[in-house]
Amino acid sequence: MTARERMLGRLRAAAPTDPTVGRAGIDGRIAMHYAQARRPASVEELARQMAGAMTASRADVWCASEEEWPAQLAAKLAEHGARRLLLDPAGEEGAALQKALPASVEAMPFARPIEAWKAELFDTVDAGFTVARSGIAATGTLILAPDAGTPRTVSLAPPLHVALVYASTLFPDMHAAVRAERWSDGLPANLVLASGPSKTSDIQQTLAYGAHGPRWMWVVIVMDEAKDGVKP
């Protein structure tokens, strides 16, 4: 018997044999597994876990109130030396940040097809601002849903990606996010998961940052009004 045949034999032996177990049954077993491993966590705990996981991936993360985050972020951008910032001024968060920016930082909408200003975009834009749809605390992962005002390029092309996520939208793990957001009913065509700045390594495992995307990533976790809630 060959190694391939032995491997296939083990897989067949381990396969479920109960013909009555359908999709609902499998989903139930998966949900039970996560429910047994998961403990209830407050939104504050999820925010701390999210910040710790993303910091470990070399993101710069801090928590802020709904009132304070625009001024804090604007000051940090100016200190960083950012001169041109991509954002969506039609969005509530983009408008708030634009209002707080000092004169040294220019707010720019993504209002043209990329082909019309590719060189300008890659050579002169210092940062891009996005608002995450939600986040996964266990892995420190942002769930981004790019749209016309904030296409994928905003979080990919500039050397600095600045993301905002509301603490009330954090989930303990991927399974909780999938169920709560009803991913099985249909997903956006371009859902993006981001955990930190772009990194790659060569055959000697030497890490390099910014080769295929942003060199730096900042994440503001906004402690919004649902902060006292507890998630399963």
Side-chain angles (χ1 to χ4, degrees), residues 169-222:
T169 67
L170 298 179
F171 297 98
D173 50 54
M174 174 71 86
H175 180 262
V178 169
R179 288 177 67 88
E181 295 187 351
R182 303 183 66 86
W183 288 19
S184 61
D185 293 345
L187 284 171
N190 191 20
L191 201 66
V192 176
L193 304 182
S195 297
S198 168
K199 54 184 175 289
T200 187
S201 63
D202 57 21
I203 195 170
Q204 295 179 331
Q205 299 184 356
T206 302
L207 277 176
Y209 291 85
H212 307 295
R215 182 177 181 83
W216 303 284
M217 185 174 189
W218 298 352
V219 180
V220 185
I221 302 176
V222 177

Side-chain angles (χ1 to χ4, degrees), residues 15-26 29:
T17 56
D18 186 352
T20 64
V21 178
R23 176 177 174 179
I26 294 174
R29 291 179 182 181

Side-chain angles (χ1 to χ4, degrees), residues 29-67:
R29 291 179 182 181
I30 294 173
M32 183 179 297
H33 166 79
Y34 278 97
Q36 291 173 345
R38 185 189 300 140
R39 66 176 182 82
S42 68
V43 174
E44 287 89 346
E45 289 175 299
L46 292 176
R48 285 193 293 270
Q49 187 178 5
M50 182 79 174
M54 296 206 79
T55 299
S57 295
R58 252 179 101 139
D60 187 352
V61 189
W62 71 95
C63 295
S65 70
E66 292 182 276
E67 295 77 20

Side-chain angles (χ1 to χ4, degrees), residues 2-202:
T2 66
R4 178 177 179 276
E5 290 170 336
R6 288 195 296 272
M7 180 179 67
L8 290 174
R10 293 193 190 101
L11 291 173
R12 293 188 185 102
T17 56
D18 186 352
T20 64
V21 178
R23 176 177 174 179
I26 294 174
D27 286 348
R29 291 179 182 181
I30 294 173
M32 183 179 297
H33 166 79
Y34 278 97
Q36 291 173 345
R38 185 189 300 140
R39 66 176 182 82
S42 68
V43 174
E44 287 89 346
E45 289 175 299
L46 292 176
R48 285 193 293 270
Q49 187 178 5
M50 182 79 174
M54 296 206 79
T55 299
S57 295
R58 252 179 101 139
D60 187 352
V61 189
W62 71 95
C63 295
S65 70
E66 292 182 276
E67 295 77 20
E68 295 172 342
W69 76 261
Q72 290 180 2
L73 181 52
K76 191 173 175 68
L77 285 164
E79 182 182 357
H80 181 74
R83 293 291 179 265
R84 307 186 87 191
L85 170 69
L86 282 177
L87 54 72
D88 181 7
E92 179 181 351
E93 295 83 3
L97 178 56
Q98 182 177 21
K99 185 178 180 180
L101 289 175
S104 61
V105 183
E106 176 189 0
M108 303 176 59
F110 201 102
R112 289 176 283 170
I114 188 172
E115 294 79 9
W117 67 308
K118 184 182 296 185
E120 179 186 357
L121 170 64
F122 281 88
D123 294 340
T124 70
V125 175
D126 302 303
F129 174 72
T130 65
V131 179
R133 163 177 169 149
S134 53
I136 302 168
T139 56
T141 304
L142 295 175
I143 301 174
L144 306 173
D147 56 22
T150 313
R152 175 70 175 104
T153 310
V154 173
S155 63
L156 181 65
L160 169 61
H161 175 203
V162 182
L164 180 148
V165 63
Y166 288 98
S168 61
T169 67
L170 298 179
F171 297 98
D173 50 54
M174 174 71 86
H175 180 262
V178 169
R179 288 177 67 88
E181 295 187 351
R182 303 183 66 86
W183 288 19
S184 61
D185 293 345
L187 284 171
N190 191 20
L191 201 66
V192 176
L193 304 182
S195 297
S198 168
K199 54 184 175 289
T200 187
S201 63
D202 57 21

